Amino acid sequence: MKFEWLAACAALALVGASAAQAAPKAVAKDAKVWAAAEAARPEQLKLLEQVVNIDSGTGDVDGGRKVAGILAARLKALGFSVESMKAEAEGLPENTVATLKGAGKGRILLIGHIDTVFGPGTAARRPFRMDAEKAYGPGVSDEKGGVVEGIYAMQILHDLGFKDFKQIVFLIETSEERGSPGTQKLIGKLVADADVELNLEPGDLPDKLTVWRKGAAAVHIEVKGRAAHAGIAPGEGRNAATELIHQIAANDGFPKTGDGITMNLTVLQAGTRDNIIPEDAQATYSVRIREKADLAKVMAVVEKNAQTTAVPDTKVRVWRQNPFFPPLPTNPGTEALADRAQAIYAGIGKTISRGGNGGASESALAYEGGIPALDGLGPAAGGFHADTEYLLLSSVTPRLYLLTKLVQELGHAPPPRLK
Ligand SMILES: [Zn+2]
């Protein structure tokens, strides 16, 4: 099957991203906020250590409640009214919604997640530690580092008596690593009552803001064949595994890496016993897209391929996850927020660039809901979803400064909603 239309999508995505990178005028350094951010550092890292050393893999209800309890108490002490909201799916700890009212204009929604991809016992095996450059530990950057940064930005604003905003809502959610099944409706509700979303996912290296994110969908190919004795009557069988291999080969032209659409085989199952021709076989792909419309194009190719089988009398069924996780496409609202962030960072003599990645986040839901969203505001980091996960200590204070100043600016002069 021809894949030329893919090159066109990738080229399009690149054009949008490169256009927005003229360096905006620096915002003068706010010495008070900088001093407060520096002073907060030891406490900030101590709180980070405390929550990293508590396992809270998605679905770990006890661990999630413990971490949320610690953070909620901090926000309560800063004058936030804190609600614990039942998750929208089974087996998940509650989401925390903390609200602070002000006397100004902007309605700011901060979103962070405290669930990690790591199982029970990981923190004991691999507790929080630091060396001269980095901090390590399960979820240290994805995303406990960002959530703790959010807490300290609220601390600094509190200590400065800052009230020039209409409301700040801080959502701490518990199922992001599985596509936020426990939080999607709640996010929709909070977005409807906000002007802008700031997301505390980690910043990509070397020191980047996230201004686009791919959407994600699981695409499944199922083959039905006919079972038979692999020794006595193999010819009577219709090998579903062989047909699946044929389908996988037919769909192998999709890119597996890069900024455009990617399609990666992630799960493969076939056969039950070594003496039976397999009747059933399934494959699952993680498809990542830059624009919502890309998914239909991918599905059209996979569905077309499914009509041609190599093994006679086999049936191929193709279906996808519904709903899928939408992308945060390159868009002017996010670019304008990134301009503000760059200007603030330039004020402390630092450069922050912008980019995107294939990981999904709630910012896409904020964009879908009609507000500009800026992502990747947590500390700069790497090694996500692996034992090597870390955050860069050199980014901790500058990022705290950036987030605090952004909240001040957006409280005073919020951007227009997108819809
Ligand atoms: Zn994350």
Side-chain angles (χ1 to χ4, degrees):
M1 188 74 201
K2 298 272 162 294
F3 293 100
E4 296 89 349
W5 51 270
L6 278 166
C9 297
L12 203 75
L14 281 175
V15 169
S18 59
Q21 277 165 8
K25 195 168 155 307
V27 171
K29 179 176 177 177
D30 183 328
K32 258 198 197 154
V33 171
W34 179 256
E38 280 192 314
R41 189 187 175 84
E43 284 291 315
Q44 184 182 356
L45 292 170
K46 219 183 282 161
L47 177 61
L48 181 56
E49 175 170 16
Q50 186 186 7
V51 295
V52 165
N53 286 344
I54 300 169
D55 289 317
S56 58
T58 319
D60 182 338
V61 174
D62 285 349
R65 283 181 177 155
K66 264 197 212 120
V67 173
I70 292 166
L71 302 172
R74 293 291 186 112
L75 291 168
K76 233 180 238 150
L78 298 175
F80 281 77
S81 64
V82 178
E83 281 177 275
S84 185
M85 317 277 288
K86 190 172 172 345
E88 294 153 23
E90 289 307 310
L92 294 170
E94 295 75 15
N95 296 307
T96 302
V97 178
T99 305
L100 187 68
K101 298 289 180 186
K105 208 169 158 213
R107 300 171 301 164
I108 299 161
L109 174 59
L110 284 176
I111 300 184
H113 71 86
I114 52 170
D115 61 308
T116 72
V117 295
F118 301 106
T122 310
R125 247 193 344 274
R126 205 164 43 81
F128 178 89
R129 67 181 176 88
M130 292 190 283
D131 60 23
E133 265 179 55
K134 298 172 180 172
Y136 305 86
V140 71
S141 55
D142 187 10
E143 185 189 303
K144 291 175 179 178
V147 175
V148 167
E149 177 191 293
I151 300 282
Y152 276 88
M154 298 304 108
Q155 175 86 55
I156 293 172
L157 294 172
H158 170 270
D159 297 349
L160 292 172
F162 179 75
K163 285 283 178 204
D164 189 9
F165 55 89
K166 184 165 184 185
Q167 70 179 23
I168 299 174
V169 174
F170 196 157
L171 167 64
I172 299 174
E173 74 130 324
T174 62
S175 63
E176 191 274 348
E177 293 295 359
R178 286 206 200 129
S180 305
T183 328
Q184 296 224 5
K185 291 198 192 76
L186 174 59
I187 292 171
K189 215 174 110 247
L190 297 175
V191 164
D193 189 28
D195 298 310
V196 60
E197 185 253 1
L198 301 176
N199 199 287
L200 301 167
E201 287 278 3
D204 286 329
L205 300 173
D207 205 352
K208 275 189 187 169
L209 295 163
T210 303
V211 293
W212 59 264
R213 279 189 180 277
K214 292 185 185 177
V219 171
H220 306 273
I221 301 179
E222 280 177 4
V223 179
K224 190 76 177 172
R226 199 161 66 216
H229 192 293
I232 296 171
E236 285 173 19
R238 295 292 178 271
N239 196 320
T242 307
E243 179 52 37
L244 184 60
I245 292 165
H246 166 248
Q247 292 295 325
I248 290 170
N251 290 300
D252 199 41
F254 285 98
K256 295 172 183 55
T257 58
D259 284 354
I261 296 171
T262 56
M263 179 162 161
N264 282 286
L265 182 61
T266 50
V267 183
L268 198 51
Q269 287 150 334
T272 53
R273 297 178 60 161
D274 64 353
N275 58 358
I276 303 176
I277 301 296
E279 180 180 9
D280 297 292
Q282 294 93 25
T284 302
Y285 291 84
S286 175
V287 172
R288 305 282 164 152
I289 51 175
R290 287 295 297 269
E291 309 280 345
K292 277 176 110 175
D294 293 341
L295 188 55
K297 293 177 193 161
V298 172
M299 291 305 290
V301 172
V302 181
E303 279 155 1
K304 182 126 192 0
N305 287 335
Q307 287 158 17
T308 311
T309 56
V311 178
D313 311 326
T314 53
K315 290 249 170 322
V316 182
R317 191 169 83 94
V318 174
W319 56 283
R320 69 163 172 85
Q321 167 197 354
N322 198 22
F324 65 94
F325 209 90
L328 171 67
T330 304
N331 72 87
T334 297
E335 296 293 339
L337 291 172
D339 288 345
R340 293 198 197 207
Q342 260 182 334
I344 291 168
Y345 232 50
I348 53 173
K350 291 182 73 71
T351 306
I352 197 165
S353 55
R354 59 187 81 186
N357 60 56
S361 99
E362 307 93 342
S363 289
L365 301 174
Y367 174 79
E368 287 278 298
I371 60 172
L374 185 60
D375 203 328
L377 287 163
F384 310 124
H385 292 194
D387 287 2
T388 51
E389 181 186 352
Y390 65 88
L391 66 76
L392 288 180
L393 290 167
S394 59
S395 73
V396 168
T397 301
R399 290 291 181 125
L400 173 55
Y401 174 85
L402 172 61
L403 181 64
T404 307
K405 289 306 294 174
L406 267 176
V407 172
Q408 283 188 326
E409 269 205 25
L410 296 167
H412 180 70
R417 283 181 62 97
L418 306 174
K419 60 181 178 184

